[in-house]
Amino acid sequence: MPNIAVTIAFKSKYPKAAFVRWNQIDVFKWQVNFSLKGNDFSALFNSDGSWLETVTLLSFDHTPKQVQQSFKVKYGSEGLQQIQHVKTPNRDIFEIQWSNGVFVWKLLYDISGKIVGKLIV
């Protein structure tokens, strides 16, 4: 179990979380997997209780319309594998894993639908 600062920070941020499972990532980081409103989440906290990020899987229909449109224009609808919403204290990123049949790409979009990163996985 994490220290009291991490536990309090988590309960404060996600008071209605269910099925909570903790993993210590390293000396200074804790990962917590949990369910909330029927969705599965994974969050990271520093050992001082600072929230670092929360990740959840999304369906294409639940991504922002701007992200959907930007992806469809550039990549069509084939090859879509997975979408993760990564929320940090400073930004929201939508990571779309997509395959062109040769490579698997991770396409990073901001909330406005602009590509902010692209890499081969």
Side-chain angles (χ1 to χ4, degrees):
M1 275 301 283
N3 65 39
I4 193 74
V6 176
T7 304
I8 290 171
F10 171 72
K11 287 183 179 181
S12 174
K13 185 153 187 69
Y14 299 105
K16 296 185 180 189
F19 307 108
V20 176
R21 297 166 312 282
W22 290 97
N23 296 312
Q24 190 166 11
I25 301 300
D26 63 29
V27 175
F28 301 108
K29 288 183 189 163
W30 286 88
Q31 177 183 33
V32 57
N33 297 300
F34 60 98
S35 295
L36 184 64
K37 298 181 183 177
N39 295 312
D40 292 329
F41 295 83
S42 178
L44 285 177
F45 288 85
N46 267 343
S47 59
D48 68 1
S50 298
W51 170 69
L52 301 173
E53 73 175 18
T54 301
V55 178
T56 188
L57 291 174
L58 295 177
S59 67
F60 190 72
D61 295 342
H62 286 97
T63 60
K65 295 294 181 204
Q66 301 91 318
V67 174
Q68 290 179 30
Q69 290 170 344
S70 180
F71 177 81
K72 281 182 184 177
V73 166
K74 181 111 176 156
Y75 302 101
S77 59
E78 298 293 318
L80 180 64
Q81 295 181 340
Q82 180 180 0
I83 302 170
Q84 292 183 331
H85 178 205
V86 180
K87 187 174 180 105
T88 69
N90 300 323
R91 64 199 298 195
D92 284 316
I93 295 292
F94 296 87
E95 295 182 0
I96 298 180
Q97 193 166 310
W98 171 79
S99 175
N100 64 2
V102 178
F103 298 105
V104 176
W105 294 86
K106 187 178 280 189
L107 309 167
L108 308 176
Y109 290 86
D110 68 12
I111 197 143
S112 73
K114 177 182 173 191
I115 288 186
V116 295
K118 184 167 137 179
L119 56 120
I120 295 176
V121 183

